[in-house]
Amino acid sequence: MKVTEQIFYFPGINFDCNVFLIKDDSSGELTLIDCGTGFFFDRQIQRISQDGLDPQNISRVILTHVHFDHSGGLINFVREYSPEVNVFHLEADSIEKGGNGLLLAREFGLEFTPTKVHKRLKEGEIIKAGSFNLEVLNTPGHTKGSICLYDRNSKVLFSGDTVFTYGSFGRVDFPTGDSRQMIQSLIELSKLDVQYLLCGHLDIATKNANEQIKLSVKNARLWV
Ligand SMILES: [Zn+2]
């Protein structure tokens, strides 16, 4: 479903993360943010087509972090559409080498298929996707290499599992997770001007998003 004219939201099925697509109005190219587990790939493609988008135009994939519920489906998109794969530099090796470690693939009952990473993202880097200038923000806590993507102009924040769903935050008990860093990352996010809070799971927020992030900070302080 449409969040804005250029951003499409595909709510996660079962354990899958939410998946987002950004459309470049001039070239028609699509940037995919996170992939889900891959268990529901056919349904994902069906939904994308139903929204009037051509999945053949998926030219880039960005992962917010490498947990299997975000990365498991990457191989399907790579095989079908050969997109450029973008992963934060701290987690890129997990995608290229596989294994369990950070990926948590076995927890989801599958082996991860290693895939080439074309671009190792750095903190502060800007990714141009259509009319958006997505700033890469490293927000450690859920994992050390977790990122959020922020566009200042349109006040859009793709939060991955740092803000798991609005008002909440991601688990900190997985490998490289850290509760203090989580609180600090959420505090940093709460300083941003956000209208569209596009979370890694469950519901997203399209208004009062700043309040929701402040609530995440409050909840993280209480619970971790
Ligand atoms: Zn995660």
Side-chain angles (χ1 to χ4, degrees):
M1 67 187 80
K2 266 187 187 177
V3 180
T4 71
E5 285 305 309
Q6 287 84 29
I7 299 178
F8 295 76
Y9 161 47
F10 303 95
I13 305 165
N14 274 10
F15 295 115
D16 270 24
C17 67
N18 292 331
V19 170
F20 300 95
L21 272 173
I22 298 175
K23 185 173 144 203
D24 183 330
D25 278 335
S26 48
S27 68
E29 284 185 56
L30 301 172
T31 295
L32 182 75
I33 299 176
D34 287 330
C35 300
T37 55
F39 298 151
F40 306 103
F41 181 66
D42 291 345
R43 268 167 74 187
Q44 285 177 317
I45 296 306
Q46 210 176 32
R47 284 164 146 195
I48 291 169
S49 304
Q50 279 165 356
D51 272 8
L53 301 170
D54 183 353
Q56 296 290 346
N57 292 334
I58 298 173
S59 58
R60 171 165 51 195
V61 175
I62 308 172
L63 297 182
T64 59
H65 64 297
V66 301
H67 282 159
F68 190 78
D69 53 332
H70 296 250
S71 67
L74 175 62
I75 190 66
N76 299 314
F77 287 99
V78 166
R79 282 179 182 150
E80 290 291 324
Y81 312 117
S82 312
E84 178 194 71
V85 177
N86 292 243
V87 182
F88 194 63
H89 67 99
L90 290 177
E91 303 196 347
D93 281 351
S94 298
I95 295 297
E96 293 203 325
K97 292 176 185 156
N100 204 34
L102 271 186
L103 298 163
L104 306 177
R106 267 170 233 144
E107 281 80 346
F108 284 94
L110 262 193
E111 286 292 326
F112 180 79
T113 308
T115 311
K116 183 171 169 46
V117 173
H118 304 97
K119 228 172 142 193
R120 292 175 176 243
L121 301 172
K122 300 260 163 53
E123 165 69 20
E125 184 170 345
I126 306 286
I127 304 170
K128 281 190 91 55
S131 58
F132 299 94
N133 289 303
L134 302 173
E135 188 177 348
V136 175
L137 306 173
N138 181 207
T139 51
H142 181 59
T143 63
K144 199 173 178 194
S146 282
I147 58 169
C148 294
L149 300 166
Y150 178 55
D151 180 77
R152 265 169 223 282
N153 264 336
S154 51
K155 304 178 184 178
V156 171
L157 181 73
F158 295 94
S159 71
D161 286 0
T162 305
V163 181
F164 187 84
T165 184
Y166 63 88
S168 84
F169 55 95
R171 282 174 64 167
V172 294
D173 57 338
F174 293 130
T176 78
D178 186 300
S179 56
R180 282 164 178 265
Q181 286 184 332
M182 173 58 88
I183 292 169
Q184 196 51 47
S185 290
L186 291 169
I187 289 171
E188 293 303 322
L189 294 180
S190 74
K191 294 174 187 167
L192 302 175
D193 188 5
V194 180
Q195 185 186 345
Y196 300 96
L197 175 60
L198 307 178
C199 312
H201 291 265
L202 305 170
D203 291 332
I204 60 172
T206 54
K207 53 185 175 188
N208 304 323
N210 291 75
E211 293 310 309
Q212 296 298 338
I213 299 172
K214 285 184 183 126
L215 187 61
S216 295
V217 175
K218 197 173 150 193
N219 284 331
R221 281 192 162 125
L222 285 173
W223 294 340
V224 301

mmCIF file of all heavy atoms in Angstrom, residues 160-184:
data_model
loop_
_atom_site.group_PDB
_atom_site.id
_atom_site.type_symbol
_atom_site.label_atom_id
_atom_site.label_comp_id
_atom_site.label_asym_id
_atom_site.label_seq_id
_atom_site.Cartn_x
_atom_site.Cartn_y
_atom_site.Cartn_z
ATOM 1 N N GLY A 160 14.135 0.320 10.581
ATOM 2 C CA GLY A 160 14.549 -1.058 10.834
ATOM 3 C C GLY A 160 13.971 -1.535 12.157
ATOM 4 O O GLY A 160 12.845 -1.176 12.518
ATOM 5 N N ASP A 161 14.731 -2.329 12.894
ATOM 6 C CA ASP A 161 14.234 -2.824 14.186
ATOM 7 C C ASP A 161 14.686 -1.960 15.354
ATOM 8 O O ASP A 161 14.455 -2.320 16.508
ATOM 9 C CB ASP A 161 14.689 -4.276 14.419
ATOM 10 C CG ASP A 161 13.905 -5.245 13.550
ATOM 11 O OD1 ASP A 161 13.032 -4.794 12.782
ATOM 12 O OD2 ASP A 161 14.169 -6.456 13.645
ATOM 13 N N THR A 162 15.338 -0.831 15.071
ATOM 14 C CA THR A 162 15.686 0.073 16.181
ATOM 15 C C THR A 162 14.388 0.573 16.807
ATOM 16 O O THR A 162 14.180 0.439 18.013
ATOM 17 C CB THR A 162 16.590 1.219 15.679
ATOM 18 O OG1 THR A 162 17.723 0.629 15.030
ATOM 19 C CG2 THR A 162 17.052 2.093 16.835
ATOM 20 N N VAL A 163 13.504 1.149 15.970
ATOM 21 C CA VAL A 163 12.103 1.342 16.404
ATOM 22 C C VAL A 163 11.342 0.185 15.751
ATOM 23 O O VAL A 163 10.968 0.258 14.593
ATOM 24 C CB VAL A 163 11.531 2.703 15.948
ATOM 25 C CG1 VAL A 163 10.098 2.856 16.450
ATOM 26 C CG2 VAL A 163 12.408 3.851 16.421
ATOM 27 N N PHE A 164 11.136 -0.887 16.486
ATOM 28 C CA PHE A 164 10.590 -2.147 15.967
ATOM 29 C C PHE A 164 9.196 -1.922 15.373
ATOM 30 O O PHE A 164 8.886 -2.313 14.271
ATOM 31 C CB PHE A 164 10.538 -3.149 17.122
ATOM 32 C CG PHE A 164 10.147 -4.544 16.739
ATOM 33 C CD1 PHE A 164 11.090 -5.433 16.255
ATOM 34 C CD2 PHE A 164 8.841 -4.977 16.892
ATOM 35 C CE1 PHE A 164 10.736 -6.731 15.912
ATOM 36 C CE2 PHE A 164 8.477 -6.271 16.551
ATOM 37 C CZ PHE A 164 9.420 -7.148 16.067
ATOM 38 N N THR A 165 8.338 -1.281 16.162
ATOM 39 C CA THR A 165 7.082 -0.721 15.674
ATOM 40 C C THR A 165 6.896 0.550 16.485
ATOM 41 O O THR A 165 7.637 0.766 17.452
ATOM 42 C CB THR A 165 5.885 -1.681 15.804
ATOM 43 O OG1 THR A 165 4.728 -1.068 15.211
ATOM 44 C CG2 THR A 165 5.583 -2.046 17.243
ATOM 45 N N TYR A 166 5.951 1.405 16.095
ATOM 46 C CA TYR A 166 5.953 2.711 16.744
ATOM 47 C C TYR A 166 5.755 2.606 18.262
ATOM 48 O O TYR A 166 4.975 1.807 18.746
ATOM 49 C CB TYR A 166 4.955 3.683 16.106
ATOM 50 C CG TYR A 166 3.507 3.297 16.201
ATOM 51 C CD1 TYR A 166 2.760 3.678 17.307
ATOM 52 C CD2 TYR A 166 2.885 2.592 15.189
ATOM 53 C CE1 TYR A 166 1.422 3.347 17.396
ATOM 54 C CE2 TYR A 166 1.559 2.258 15.281
ATOM 55 C CZ TYR A 166 0.834 2.632 16.385
ATOM 56 O OH TYR A 166 -0.477 2.301 16.480
ATOM 57 N N GLY A 167 6.521 3.400 18.987
ATOM 58 C CA GLY A 167 6.465 3.403 20.449
ATOM 59 C C GLY A 167 7.281 2.293 21.089
ATOM 60 O O GLY A 167 7.390 2.231 22.307
ATOM 61 N N SER A 168 7.866 1.397 20.274
ATOM 62 C CA SER A 168 8.637 0.294 20.862
ATOM 63 C C SER A 168 10.067 0.310 20.341
ATOM 64 O O SER A 168 10.496 1.265 19.686
ATOM 65 C CB SER A 168 7.963 -1.043 20.566
ATOM 66 O OG SER A 168 8.328 -1.515 19.293
ATOM 67 N N PHE A 169 10.803 -0.757 20.603
ATOM 68 C CA PHE A 169 12.200 -0.845 20.169
ATOM 69 C C PHE A 169 12.536 -2.321 19.996
ATOM 70 O O PHE A 169 11.824 -3.193 20.495
ATOM 71 C CB PHE A 169 13.136 -0.182 21.203
ATOM 72 C CG PHE A 169 12.984 -0.743 22.592
ATOM 73 C CD1 PHE A 169 13.836 -1.761 23.019
ATOM 74 C CD2 PHE A 169 11.991 -0.292 23.441
ATOM 75 C CE1 PHE A 169 13.686 -2.308 24.278
ATOM 76 C CE2 PHE A 169 11.835 -0.837 24.706
ATOM 77 C CZ PHE A 169 12.683 -1.843 25.127
ATOM 78 N N GLY A 170 13.640 -2.593 19.282
ATOM 79 C CA GLY A 170 13.997 -3.981 18.991
ATOM 80 C C GLY A 170 14.663 -4.676 20.168
ATOM 81 O O GLY A 170 15.182 -4.026 21.086
ATOM 82 N N ARG A 171 14.670 -5.987 20.133
ATOM 83 C CA ARG A 171 15.335 -6.771 21.182
ATOM 84 C C ARG A 171 16.824 -6.459 21.232
ATOM 85 O O ARG A 171 17.443 -6.163 20.218
ATOM 86 C CB ARG A 171 15.133 -8.269 20.902
ATOM 87 C CG ARG A 171 13.751 -8.746 21.291
ATOM 88 C CD ARG A 171 13.522 -10.172 20.870
ATOM 89 N NE ARG A 171 14.422 -11.111 21.558
ATOM 90 C CZ ARG A 171 14.251 -12.427 21.545
ATOM 91 N NH1 ARG A 171 13.231 -12.955 20.886
ATOM 92 N NH2 ARG A 171 15.085 -13.213 22.177
ATOM 93 N N VAL A 172 17.378 -6.545 22.421
ATOM 94 C CA VAL A 172 18.806 -6.224 22.582
ATOM 95 C C VAL A 172 19.612 -7.451 23.036
ATOM 96 O O VAL A 172 20.787 -7.336 23.364
ATOM 97 C CB VAL A 172 19.004 -5.060 23.595
ATOM 98 C CG1 VAL A 172 18.415 -3.775 23.029
ATOM 99 C CG2 VAL A 172 18.375 -5.393 24.947
ATOM 100 N N ASP A 173 18.961 -8.621 23.022
ATOM 101 C CA ASP A 173 19.617 -9.822 23.552
ATOM 102 C C ASP A 173 20.159 -10.750 22.463
ATOM 103 O O ASP A 173 20.558 -11.865 22.745
ATOM 104 C CB ASP A 173 18.641 -10.581 24.470
ATOM 105 C CG ASP A 173 17.353 -10.970 23.773
ATOM 106 O OD1 ASP A 173 16.997 -10.331 22.755
ATOM 107 O OD2 ASP A 173 16.691 -11.903 24.237
ATOM 108 N N PHE A 174 20.208 -10.284 21.222
ATOM 109 C CA PHE A 174 20.824 -11.069 20.145
ATOM 110 C C PHE A 174 22.305 -10.693 20.041
ATOM 111 O O PHE A 174 22.718 -9.685 20.625
ATOM 112 C CB PHE A 174 20.111 -10.786 18.820
ATOM 113 C CG PHE A 174 18.689 -11.277 18.756
ATOM 114 C CD1 PHE A 174 17.676 -10.429 18.328
ATOM 115 C CD2 PHE A 174 18.361 -12.578 19.111
ATOM 116 C CE1 PHE A 174 16.360 -10.874 18.260
ATOM 117 C CE2 PHE A 174 17.048 -13.034 19.042
ATOM 118 C CZ PHE A 174 16.046 -12.173 18.618
ATOM 119 N N PRO A 175 23.095 -11.498 19.308
ATOM 120 C CA PRO A 175 24.527 -11.163 19.171
ATOM 121 C C PRO A 175 24.743 -9.710 18.730
ATOM 122 O O PRO A 175 24.048 -9.234 17.830
ATOM 123 C CB PRO A 175 25.006 -12.143 18.082
ATOM 124 C CG PRO A 175 24.080 -13.316 18.200
ATOM 125 C CD PRO A 175 22.750 -12.737 18.590
ATOM 126 N N THR A 176 25.699 -9.058 19.386
ATOM 127 C CA THR A 176 26.087 -7.637 19.211
ATOM 128 C C THR A 176 25.013 -6.648 19.689
ATOM 129 O O THR A 176 25.178 -5.433 19.535
ATOM 130 C CB THR A 176 26.549 -7.250 17.766
ATOM 131 O OG1 THR A 176 25.397 -7.103 16.919
ATOM 132 C CG2 THR A 176 27.539 -8.249 17.177
ATOM 133 N N GLY A 177 23.914 -7.133 20.252
ATOM 134 C CA GLY A 177 22.904 -6.235 20.828
ATOM 135 C C GLY A 177 23.448 -5.577 22.092
ATOM 136 O O GLY A 177 24.338 -6.126 22.750
ATOM 137 N N ASP A 178 22.925 -4.392 22.409
ATOM 138 C CA ASP A 178 23.433 -3.658 23.564
ATOM 139 C C ASP A 178 22.364 -2.678 24.044
ATOM 140 O O ASP A 178 21.942 -1.790 23.292
ATOM 141 C CB ASP A 178 24.707 -2.893 23.143
ATOM 142 C CG ASP A 178 25.375 -2.210 24.319
ATOM 143 O OD1 ASP A 178 24.718 -1.359 24.959
ATOM 144 O OD2 ASP A 178 26.553 -2.518 24.587
ATOM 145 N N SER A 179 21.927 -2.839 25.300
ATOM 146 C CA SER A 179 20.808 -2.032 25.775
ATOM 147 C C SER A 179 21.156 -0.544 25.932
ATOM 148 O O SER A 179 20.357 0.327 25.596
ATOM 149 C CB SER A 179 20.273 -2.593 27.097
ATOM 150 O OG SER A 179 21.313 -2.656 28.049
ATOM 151 N N ARG A 180 22.368 -0.246 26.391
ATOM 152 C CA ARG A 180 22.743 1.175 26.531
ATOM 153 C C ARG A 180 22.805 1.864 25.178
ATOM 154 O O ARG A 180 22.368 3.001 25.010
ATOM 155 C CB ARG A 180 24.130 1.294 27.170
ATOM 156 C CG ARG A 180 24.120 1.094 28.657
ATOM 157 C CD ARG A 180 25.534 0.829 29.137
ATOM 158 N NE ARG A 180 25.546 0.679 30.574
ATOM 159 C CZ ARG A 180 25.813 1.675 31.417
ATOM 160 N NH1 ARG A 180 26.114 2.870 30.984
ATOM 161 N NH2 ARG A 180 25.783 1.458 32.731
ATOM 162 N N GLN A 181 23.384 1.130 24.214
ATOM 163 C CA GLN A 181 23.462 1.707 22.865
ATOM 164 C C GLN A 181 22.076 1.896 22.270
ATOM 165 O O GLN A 181 21.829 2.855 21.542
ATOM 166 C CB GLN A 181 24.305 0.804 21.955
ATOM 167 C CG GLN A 181 25.791 0.902 22.271
ATOM 168 C CD GLN A 181 26.634 0.088 21.300
ATOM 169 O OE1 GLN A 181 26.181 -0.908 20.744
ATOM 170 N NE2 GLN A 181 27.868 0.498 21.110
ATOM 171 N N MET A 182 21.176 0.973 22.570
ATOM 172 C CA MET A 182 19.809 1.100 22.077
ATOM 173 C C MET A 182 19.186 2.388 22.584
ATOM 174 O O MET A 182 18.611 3.168 21.813
ATOM 175 C CB MET A 182 18.971 -0.114 22.512
ATOM 176 C CG MET A 182 17.493 -0.009 22.192
ATOM 177 S SD MET A 182 17.140 0.235 20.442
ATOM 178 C CE MET A 182 17.046 -1.457 19.860
ATOM 179 N N ILE A 183 19.304 2.645 23.873
ATOM 180 C CA ILE A 183 18.712 3.870 24.427
ATOM 181 C C ILE A 183 19.341 5.099 23.766
ATOM 182 O O ILE A 183 18.630 6.020 23.338
ATOM 183 C CB ILE A 183 18.885 3.903 25.963
ATOM 184 C CG1 ILE A 183 18.017 2.802 26.593
ATOM 185 C CG2 ILE A 183 18.509 5.277 26.529
ATOM 186 C CD1 ILE A 183 18.275 2.548 28.068
ATOM 187 N N GLN A 184 20.674 5.086 23.623
ATOM 188 C CA GLN A 184 21.357 6.221 23.004
ATOM 189 C C GLN A 184 20.913 6.420 21.553
ATOM 190 O O GLN A 184 20.650 7.548 21.129
ATOM 191 C CB GLN A 184 22.881 6.010 23.083
ATOM 192 C CG GLN A 184 23.696 7.263 22.821
ATOM 193 C CD GLN A 184 23.238 8.465 23.664
ATOM 194 O OE1 GLN A 184 23.032 8.351 24.874
ATOM 195 N NE2 GLN A 184 23.027 9.604 23.000
#
